Amino acid sequence: MKTSWAQLTEEIDACTRCPLCEGCGQKVPGQGDPEAPLMLIGEGPGEQEDRQGLAFVGPAGQLLTRMLEAIQLPRERVYICNIVKCRPPGNRTPSAEEAAACVPHLLRQWALVKPKAVLLLGGTAVRTVLGESYRITRCHGQWFERRGVPVLATYHPSALLREQARKREAWEDLKRVREMLCTLQAYQDLLGGEP
């Protein structure tokens, strides 16, 4: 079934597949370049995101912007979304059932963006996209393939705000993303062809 961005936005706005829709201020589908070579997938909206209807706009989002800039990628040139599109109460981690209810939306986003590479931010994204047995501490920095696309996991920016020591590992992960994008000849106007 072919979906347009407009249809997908309507579908997300009307979604009642799980109870998260009852407590959120507004749905947060995602934003950025709809044809971006790099797609980032996080966990779910927090308080600021719920208020503004945009993904990654709070302190974690500000760190994410700086992380992208460190590898010469302006935030507006990537596509950013989350596993769940509604804020879990108290910013808790979405349950596996809540994540599963939102996966059809994510798969449609993936199909519309057609990314050349995907960066998973945090454990919820890792378990949902790679599988329940995967753990961020063991698989970050490694490349996997899903839907014919190279996928790499790193720590969620909110975790990096809490655990400063992990920033070095996240920086190594980001350098791997940049190398892959260069290998795939993505963002040639920004990155050239040199890893």
Side-chain angles (χ1 to χ4, degrees), residues 72-116:
Q72 286 83 48
L73 288 182
R75 183 184 165 118
E76 63 273 8
R77 294 284 302 273
V78 303
Y79 187 80
I80 304 172
C81 63
N82 284 304
I83 295 294
V84 298
K85 314 307 183 194
C86 299
R87 178 188 180 202
N91 289 352
R92 68 164 169 74
T93 301
S95 69
E97 294 76 24
E98 290 161 350
C102 248
V103 163
H105 300 314
L106 178 68
L107 295 180
R108 286 189 182 89
Q109 287 175 306
W110 192 313
L112 285 165
V113 175
K114 299 181 191 72
K116 290 189 173 187

Side-chain angles (χ1 to χ4, degrees), residues 17-53:
R17 290 182 186 162
C18 82
L20 288 182
C21 67
E22 296 162 15
C24 73
Q26 56 186 317
K27 309 282 177 78
V28 183
Q31 77 271 355
D33 181 350
E35 297 176 349
L38 179 63
M39 181 174 182
L40 287 78
I41 304 172
E43 176 178 294
E47 183 179 1
Q48 292 298 319
E49 291 78 11
D50 184 61
R51 190 174 292 141
Q52 296 181 43

